[in-house]
Amino acid sequence: MSNIAQIQPAVAKDKLNLHSLIETGDVAPSADLTMGEIACSLSHRQVMKHFLATNKSHVLVFEDDAHVGKGIIRELKAERGENFTMVQFLEELAQTSETLGWHGLNLGRCWDHCDEDQEVMKMTQQIELVQSKRSLCTYGYLFTRKGAKIHLREMRRLKDAEDRARMFFPEFRYLSTRPRLLEQSVHKLDSINGEKFHPECK
């Protein structure tokens, strides 16, 4: 994807000043957020702004520690043929926004209540799109243009963490893949994600 991908530099938490962000209206005074969570949300906000400055219909966002889950590519090739690629599958997923009316599709959810998933569409023998109750984590997702506009409107003043906030965007349909297509690398203890693996299901 090197010919179509664009790297968006992340907002560094050590460059931020909470008091200034509250004064400019970027963070709500009542927000109980770490500087890492604020930096994460501001980074995703920048991605949305850059996306809307293009004429593209969808944006596919990967954080730099995301990777395709074990066995996903092997399964796709077994079902669709050896020449089938992950990029082709992601394009198929993007096209479902028109028929299903979603604004965001989480490719790497975590800590979800998977036993309450509602199946929406089957993509392969093993992979389906679901309406889930608690689709946390933001290290890989697809957004439509309308989804990006809703995101910028709702995240103009940060009140909650990026992934928790998305669950309550008005008029925003947020689906997930089951199983998740992406995994996230385990981080050091002082990172925003902590030194542990984040499972797909709670």
Side-chain angles (χ1 to χ4, degrees):
M1 298 180 67
S2 59
N3 61 326
I4 57 174
Q6 178 177 337
I7 296 175
Q8 170 66 44
V11 174
K13 64 180 181 180
D14 57 352
K15 303 290 186 182
L16 298 175
N17 180 280
L18 181 57
H19 180 71
S20 296
L21 290 169
I22 291 174
E23 280 194 334
T24 58
D26 289 291
V27 176
S30 60
D32 184 20
L33 298 171
T34 67
M35 295 309 293
E37 288 173 326
I38 292 172
C40 177
S41 292
L42 293 177
S43 297
H44 286 275
R45 183 197 289 178
Q46 288 300 108
V47 171
M48 296 302 143
K49 288 180 178 179
H50 289 169
F51 162 51
L52 290 175
T54 74
N55 62 357
K56 303 297 183 183
S57 62
H58 296 77
V59 62
L60 171 63
V61 182
F62 296 110
E63 293 183 355
D64 61 4
D65 52 3
H67 58 272
V68 179
K70 184 178 180 181
I72 295 294
I73 295 177
R74 181 175 65 249
E75 177 193 326
L76 289 173
K77 289 183 178 294
E79 186 169 326
R80 304 290 187 87
E82 192 60 34
N83 293 326
F84 192 75
T85 67
M86 190 66 187
V87 172
Q88 287 176 291
F89 189 57
L90 291 168
E91 290 174 341
E92 286 186 12
L93 289 174
Q95 291 169 6
T96 67
S97 67
E98 297 182 13
T99 54
L100 300 179
W102 57 258
H103 305 107
L105 177 62
N106 196 342
L107 307 175
R109 65 177 178 167
C110 69
W111 298 108
D112 208 342
H113 295 289
C114 300
D115 57 334
E116 299 183 50
D117 286 348
Q118 297 179 12
E119 182 180 333
V120 176
M121 177 181 282
K122 204 165 185 64
M123 298 298 298
T124 72
Q125 291 181 1
Q126 301 296 326
I127 301 170
E128 55 194 357
L129 305 186
V130 298
Q131 182 76 62
S132 61
K133 185 174 182 179
R134 190 172 181 264
S135 188
L136 298 178
C137 287
T138 58
Y139 51 84
Y141 58 90
L142 279 160
F143 263 29
T144 64
R145 294 187 69 82
K146 184 174 181 180
K149 291 175 182 177
I150 293 172
H151 178 279
L152 288 179
R153 181 191 71 206
E154 296 301 317
M155 298 299 283
R156 171 62 188 90
R157 175 176 290 188
L158 304 183
K159 301 175 183 177
D160 203 350
E162 178 75 24
D163 53 355
R164 293 194 299 269
R166 291 182 186 185
M167 294 188 291
F168 303 103
F169 287 174
E171 301 177 345
F172 181 78
R173 192 176 193 199
Y174 197 36
L175 301 185
S176 303
T177 60
R178 180 173 70 186
R180 62 183 178 189
L181 304 182
L182 302 178
E183 302 281 353
Q184 189 174 37
S185 302
V186 177
H187 292 263
K188 296 179 180 179
L189 188 59
D190 62 350
S191 76
I192 186 175
N193 293 300
E195 192 178 18
K196 62 181 179 180
F197 173 74
H198 293 270
E200 178 172 0
C201 304
K202 186 174 180 180

